[in-house]
Amino acid sequence: MAVDTLTESVAESVFECVGNTPVVALNRLFPEPDVEVIAKLELMNPGGSMKDRSARHIVECGLREGSIRPGSHLVESSSGNFGIALAIAARIHGLRFTCVLDPKAAPANVAILRHLGAEVDVVTEPDEMGGYLHTRIRRVQKIVAGAPGAIWINQYANDRNWEAHYHGTGAELAEQLIRPPSYLFGAVSTTGSLLGCSRRLRERFPDLRVAAVDAVGSVIFGGPAGPRDVPGIGASRVPELFAPAEIDDVVHVNDFETAVGCRDLLAAEGIFAAARQGRWSQRSGARCPTCRAPAGWSRSSRTAATAT
């Protein structure tokens, strides 16, 4: 008798669909013969960003070990994407979630958060650096202090942030890439995604160089604080996760260049991406003068792997 060997591929929740994102070559955006730039399309995660990975890992690890209990109240400061990812996690696992935002958050993200059931708290007072991050964190701390049992996720200091990308994004790239990349580019804010990816990739490709793409006006790498209107990249404080010894190069991109990068990526590749991708598309490969391929290399040599 014939045995039916077919199995259904049905996820138990949308969060089980996080990860396994594709990698594509950006040959139209970067046609130079001595540069190959590839991109991992994290925008194809269910919540629209790589923040789905860290939110899932942080919440599900916490539930397994008991640091997060059924019905817990999660609180976090976010510029949008991580808040959306946590709101999805909270909805799936029956948790309460308060997201602290500022006036620069995209109205669409605010609407999504509210539809997902998150409690949205918007600060309006700029902090001493001229931004809102310190004000948001102080609001988070006030909420947690006044709500017994509330849990601050604290993505800037939570090791499970970078671990999510070590076990997820970085592990996938290590399997998807056969030829070794010379550079890994990644936009930074908490620095968790770049560090997690690079730590995993360097286990397989030890000669990999890591380039952080930061915002003009961000203080992560010691630059002066300045105005930044595009959310989701850069920071007005140095993250506790930050490990500067593990980053070889840093390039800074302003808001105008970010917008141009997003438009270029859409026009050349048909990829409708967000600000983080606009920043690295302005600085990856041929547009980063320190990241050119050595003389004699051809397009068969991979000169940049970009996590988006």
Side-chain angles (χ1 to χ4, degrees), residues 53 111 174 186 195 198-199 231 251:
R53 295 182 187 265
L195 292 174
S198 63
R199 287 166 181 168
V251 287

Side-chain angles (χ1 to χ4, degrees), residues 4-291:
D4 187 358
T5 59
L6 296 177
T7 57
E8 288 190 329
S9 178
V10 180
E12 293 297 321
S13 78
V14 71
F15 250 18
E16 290 190 9
C17 304
V18 171
N20 297 311
T21 53
V23 171
V24 300
L26 304 182
N27 296 333
R28 298 164 188 82
L29 184 60
F30 298 97
E32 294 85 352
D34 60 343
V35 171
E36 180 187 21
V37 178
I38 62 173
K40 187 156 175 63
L41 299 184
E42 288 294 284
L43 56 91
M44 297 184 72
N45 282 304
S49 80
M50 67 195 323
K51 296 291 190 177
D52 287 3
R53 295 182 187 265
S54 46
R56 179 186 181 187
H57 189 65
I58 290 168
V59 171
E60 293 185 353
C61 284
L63 287 167
R64 281 196 299 271
E65 72 171 19
S67 59
I68 297 175
R69 298 182 180 278
S72 288
H73 180 192
L74 309 181
V75 186
E76 181 61 309
S77 159
S78 173
S79 61
N81 285 338
F82 190 53
I84 289 171
L86 282 174
I88 295 172
R91 173 67 78 179
I92 289 170
H93 293 290
L95 307 171
R96 179 184 172 191
F97 174 49
T98 298
C99 187
V100 178
L101 301 171
D102 62 55
K104 293 183 180 180
N109 286 346
V110 178
I112 291 169
L113 283 164
R114 290 193 166 120
H115 281 297
L116 285 167
E119 300 169 32
V120 175
D121 189 326
V122 181
V123 302
T124 57
E125 185 73 23
D127 58 30
E128 57 275 12
M129 305 295 287
Y132 293 94
L133 179 57
H134 293 276
T135 307
R136 293 200 321 250
I137 290 174
R138 285 193 288 268
R139 179 68 61 84
V140 167
Q141 292 170 334
K142 182 177 180 180
I143 293 170
V144 171
I151 300 165
W152 178 20
I153 297 297
N154 196 3
Q155 60 176 320
Y156 284 83
N158 195 321
D159 282 325
R160 284 180 175 151
N161 181 349
W162 71 262
E163 289 171 0
H165 299 285
Y166 175 89
H167 295 295
T169 326
E172 290 170 22
L173 279 168
E175 291 183 359
Q176 290 168 315
L177 303 180
I178 297 175
R179 290 182 287 115
S182 298
Y183 278 86
L184 172 71
F185 279 82
V188 292
S189 181
T190 69
T191 70
S193 58
L194 184 61
L195 292 174
C197 288
S198 63
R199 287 166 181 168
R200 185 59 175 261
L201 283 171
R202 277 174 165 158
E203 293 176 0
R204 182 172 179 188
F205 307 116
D207 294 329
L208 178 74
R209 291 183 65 83
V210 177
V213 182
D214 197 9
V216 172
S218 168
V219 305
I220 296 174
F221 289 90
R228 293 177 290 114
D229 290 323
V230 176
I233 182 171
S236 54
R237 64 188 287 267
V238 178
E240 290 85 348
L241 296 178
F242 184 44
E246 299 181 38
I247 298 174
D248 301 294
D249 297 283
V250 58
V251 287
H252 289 85
V253 183
N254 62 38
D255 289 345
F256 176 78
E257 291 173 312
T258 298
V260 171
C262 289
R263 291 171 182 263
D264 287 349
L265 188 60
L266 179 61
E269 302 287 351
I271 297 173
F272 193 17
R276 293 173 68 90
Q277 292 77 54
R279 291 195 190 273
W280 62 247
S281 72
Q282 277 290 301
R283 285 294 181 249
S284 296
R287 302 184 187 189
C288 176
T290 66
C291 304

